[in-house]
Amino acid sequence: MNMPALKYSQIHQGFYTFINEDVLPTCGIEVNVFWQALENLITDYVQEPSHFIDTSQGNMDAANTMSASITDRQQLIQAANSRWTSLHTTASQEETKAYLDQHFALETGSHADVKNYVVYYHHLLAFFEDGSQSGLVNPSQFVALCGHKCAPDSIVLKRSDMSSHVEIAINRKGNRGAKDCAGIQDILVETNETIIIDFDAVHIDGDSKIQAFRNLQEFLEGSLTTYTAKEGSQAILRMNTEVTFTDLDGEDYVIANRSPIQIRCTKPSLQTELMREANGNLAPQVIIDAIVCGIILRLKQNKAQTQMQQSLVLQDGKFTTNMQKRIEDIFSL
């Protein structure tokens, strides 16, 4: 393998090209400055690993999580697209109506008895069999719709500014909607599950590792795609980056498909052929993961210009404050 040489280290040619052409130009770090900083960090880590990783501390996953291997594009897309979950997967039609009564109560009557929903100006009205009608106890919980106000296809509710969205999908020709008095086909709840993107799932070669970093870039951009077999033919699988409804003033109401993300770096004991140390040994893979993923995450954060829940974690142990500072130092070069 022909590896470009630093002062004391060697680098995988494909990795060198990927970093120089696809990562550094977007963050303004000079090529030579970056590689020298990375070489110094690897040297320091090899000499004193405990200064950078505290193996005495366990790492607790978030309460609600789903994992996806960074090498499995289909798994990554499925994790991203599971932002919304159907209440009908765990509850009966009666229980879903009780859920609406509990969280989005009507001034009079029950959602179980509603014949149709209508939007009148900025208000959601529920009509009953006897012709009577009722609004929500808290009218501000109605935030958006899809379709015509007289016969909406979807109604979007939100308990409070800090809570998740709930979509009432209406389809009187659907398998459930045809049997429901209000034509409700589904009730979808926006989840806030943390997606763990797992670099620790497998130990892979240099070229596959570079592709893993590209997968992460595309995942964060929302442009990740792959092909899957469907009914005997290939179908393209894409990420659902956002859902658009109409707000109460007739403007677009966009709900971003943005789940909290944790990048689980590989085990500290593993090495990678992406770089070799001064003594010719393969470099620690966890340091490469942390630096490259850290920069990619920060670039996405800056591009989004909004606070995003993203972090680097380990299966066992934690990065020390010293390691976090070294990552910050490299990004600010």
Side-chain angles (χ1 to χ4, degrees):
M1 178 171 54
N2 184 22
M3 302 180 79
L6 294 177
K7 184 175 182 181
Y8 299 109
S9 306
Q10 289 183 310
I11 316 167
H12 183 287
Q13 180 64 64
F15 182 51
Y16 187 77
T17 301
F18 166 71
I19 293 296
N20 291 351
E21 296 182 0
D22 295 342
V23 177
L24 297 185
T26 61
C27 59
I29 302 175
E30 292 186 11
V31 170
N32 293 336
V33 173
F34 169 81
W35 290 112
Q36 188 60 61
L38 180 57
E39 183 181 60
N40 292 342
L41 175 56
I42 290 173
T43 300
D44 293 344
Y45 172 80
V46 171
Q47 293 174 351
E48 293 288 347
S50 61
H51 287 183
F52 302 92
I53 294 177
D54 185 351
T55 56
S56 66
Q57 294 191 46
N59 183 65
M60 294 285 291
D61 288 340
N64 299 309
T65 65
M66 66 183 78
S67 296
S69 170
I70 189 59
T71 60
D72 191 328
R73 294 169 72 90
Q74 181 170 336
Q75 200 175 87
L76 287 166
I77 294 170
Q78 289 172 339
N81 291 352
S82 61
R83 177 73 173 177
W84 295 81
T85 184
S86 169
L87 286 184
H88 288 93
T89 58
T90 57
S92 65
Q93 192 78 337
E94 292 73 21
E95 290 171 327
T96 62
K97 297 297 181 75
Y99 173 90
L100 294 178
D101 286 337
Q102 178 182 356
H103 298 293
F104 306 101
L106 298 171
E107 290 180 307
T108 59
S110 167
H111 285 279
D113 301 317
V114 173
K115 293 301 178 182
N116 61 288
Y117 294 95
V118 171
V119 177
Y120 183 71
Y121 290 97
H122 287 185
H123 295 275
L124 175 66
L125 297 179
F127 283 81
F128 300 97
E129 184 68 41
D130 61 3
S132 61
Q133 65 189 50
S134 174
L136 295 170
V137 170
N138 183 356
S140 65
Q141 290 182 324
F142 170 56
V143 296
L145 75 150
C146 181
H148 198 281
K149 288 185 175 182
C150 293
D153 298 321
S154 292
I155 295 164
V156 182
L157 306 172
K158 197 175 185 184
R159 275 188 283 174
S160 67
D161 289 340
M162 301 301 293
S163 65
S164 300
H165 295 87
V166 173
E167 178 189 359
I168 302 176
I170 300 172
N171 180 4
R172 294 188 180 276
K173 295 182 180 180
N175 60 327
R176 277 191 293 264
K179 303 172 185 177
D180 183 79
C181 57
I184 295 178
Q185 172 67 13
D186 208 348
I187 298 175
L188 301 167
V189 179
E190 184 186 19
T191 66
N192 197 39
E193 288 189 326
T194 297
I195 299 175
I196 298 177
I197 301 178
D198 201 351
F199 276 79
D200 194 41
V202 289
H203 181 52
I204 53 180
D205 60 47
D207 290 335
S208 298
K209 193 73 177 184
I210 297 165
Q211 183 57 54
F213 291 136
R214 293 189 189 279
N215 288 352
L216 178 61
Q217 285 181 313
E218 293 179 44
F219 180 88
L220 295 175
E221 290 293 332
S223 61
L224 191 67
T225 62
T226 191
Y227 290 93
T228 183
K230 185 176 181 180
E231 297 178 354
S233 60
Q234 276 195 335
I236 191 166
L237 188 64
R238 293 184 174 89
M239 294 176 65
N240 300 327
T241 55
E242 60 186 32
V243 185
T244 303
F245 299 92
T246 303
D247 70 11
L248 308 187
D249 296 316
E251 303 296 329
D252 285 347
Y253 187 92
V254 179
I255 302 176
N257 189 17
R258 186 179 298 145
S259 298
I261 294 171
Q262 288 184 346
I263 308 295
R264 181 187 286 156
C265 298
T266 193
K267 295 179 179 66
S269 60
L270 296 180
Q271 296 175 314
T272 176
E273 63 181 51
L274 293 180
M275 286 187 69
R276 288 186 179 274
E277 306 167 38
N279 58 13
N281 293 334
L282 296 175
Q285 188 166 304
V286 66
I287 298 299
I288 303 294
D289 282 354
I291 294 302
V292 179
C293 292
I295 290 178
I296 292 174
L297 284 175
R298 177 60 67 84
L299 288 171
K300 176 59 178 175
Q301 180 84 47
N302 290 352
K303 188 174 181 180
Q305 297 183 333
T306 57
Q307 188 63 34
M308 300 174 67
Q309 299 179 55
Q310 301 173 341
S311 60
L312 294 172
V313 299
L314 293 166
Q315 179 68 42
D316 299 304
K318 289 186 176 181
F319 290 115
T320 64
T321 53
N322 182 46
M323 179 62 182
Q324 295 170 14
K325 182 178 184 302
R326 292 291 288 269
I327 295 175
E328 291 293 325
D329 289 346
I330 288 177
F331 191 83
S332 61
L333 289 173

